[in-house]
Amino acid sequence: MTKQQANWSPYDNNGGTCVAIAGTDYCVIAADTRMSSGYNILTRDYSKIIQLVDTSVLASSGFQADVRALQKVLAAKHLQYQYQHNKQMSCPAMAQLLSNTLYYKRFFPYYAFNVLGGLDREGKGCVFTYDAVGSYERVGYSSQGSGSTLITPFLDNQLKSPGPLLLPARDAVTPLSESEAIDLVKTCFASATERDIYTGDKLEILILNASGTRVEYMELRKD
Amino acid sequence: MLLGILGMNSLDCTPATNSLIRSEADSQRTLYPYVTGTSVVGIKYKDGILLAADMGGSYGSTLRYKSVERLKPVGKHSLIGASGEISDFQEIMRYLDDLILSDNMWDDGNSLGPKEVHNYLTRVMYNRRNKFNPLWNSLVLGGVKNGQKYLGTVNMIGVHYEDNHVATGFGNHLALPLLRDEWHENLTFEEGVILLEKCMRVLLYRDRSAVNKLQVLFSLCGIHTSRLLGNCCTV
């Protein structure tokens, strides 16, 4: 009798796409609200975005149970930080914390593909993009998740970000205005929804700027 | 222990191409379900929550038990329905009994609502998955507290969400399309039961693990949970 082996996987891909764009004094973070498993749609109205701090918003796609656990761990660590330092974490600080949290589970990773967006201490927009084990980079814009292969080339074309190999390093934030960036994001998702089966239903957009946080929604195709 | 596996998770799992764990502790981990229940279907209706499930417990392809209650009330406000391994559901009920007891012992006038119980169960399921010893269930958790209706689901790897209509197992494939088409905000109790009965009928036609004896529970706004047991025989 051959040894019985485990026939379940601890991971699942619940799909979805996340995008963030940094501007000179704002940051736009967006994600669709569809949750899938295989060829099934589980629900059409699940948010992948969480506002951890006034100035930091995390959007994550991938395996939903890991995403939720990661969100809770970060929120708890932020609470402790506030007790110990008597102030809220800055976005770059949260970026480092997220990286460390992900690497902590390097040998049983959080299957979460993250984009952290927010405002740095100077009020400028910042976007940090991650892989599943915590490797991260500050960029002017980013896309993660099932539709990222469709969206990233389009953003590269539209935002004309200076190349990462340039010296001296140039500022990565886009010169677009806030409303132009929001329209760009809506266009990205409308297109990604056409060709990616895991993206659709509804788009949730968070806009961070000096006056606070705003939410916008847009309907996407439901097929 | 580096894992590169990404597979689809459902009650009918396919074998992994390489083994994930090697140790003597293997005999202590859940590898396969033995006695299983099939779909659970739940909807919100105008006054509360309706849950339906059949009363079958299958032992592989044998319909071994035909009076298994897979829907149970939890505390004052919630209802739980489980598909998957029946013994794991019984253990979940033991966890929930302890949880509700502790809640009652505070004697502070507060009581755990369906949202809290759902969150607790999600953490339990996720933590067991982290230890590679899952509770092999897909759970539906619904209820009403302070006039607020809640309906959610969580499965064996911790994936959870809430919605106006949920289903587990085959119900995802057969019942959910019917619910998405015919559900609306102001279903009366009678309309809700008719809709659920339609779903269970389709499941009886097409799910080989389904049996023709149903259990239906409902939870009303402002009133404690009540149960309704029905026998449904088809042609």
Side-chain angles (χ1 to χ4, degrees), chain B residues 98-143:
Chain B
D98 283 344
L99 181 74
I100 299 295
L101 181 67
S102 305
D103 187 42
N104 289 340
M105 286 303 104
W106 285 106
D107 199 21
D108 57 3
N110 198 20
S111 52
L112 290 173
K115 197 175 167 75
E116 290 86 63
V117 177
H118 184 226
N119 190 58
Y120 171 79
L121 288 172
T122 302
R123 289 300 110 215
V124 168
M125 303 299 273
Y126 183 70
N127 275 289
R128 289 288 295 254
R129 163 262 184 200
N130 282 347
K131 296 193 277 203
F132 277 90
N133 187 21
L135 289 160
W136 206 290
N137 294 108
S138 291
L139 305 170
V140 172
L141 210 299

Side-chain angles (χ1 to χ4, degrees), chain A residues 20-41:
Chain A
I21 300 179
T24 44
D25 61 349
Y26 66 87
C27 187
V28 173
I29 302 99
D32 69 328
T33 62
R34 172 177 286 182
M35 192 160 115
S36 343
S37 177
Y39 284 119
N40 290 325
I41 294 177

Side-chain angles (χ1 to χ4, degrees), chain B residues 194-210:
Chain B
I194 288 170
L195 184 53
L196 283 182
E197 205 185 322
K198 194 169 177 175
C199 294
M200 300 311 287
R201 189 183 303 277
V202 170
L203 286 166
L204 185 61
Y205 287 151
R206 293 295 180 177
D207 178 6
R208 75 161 185 185
S209 338

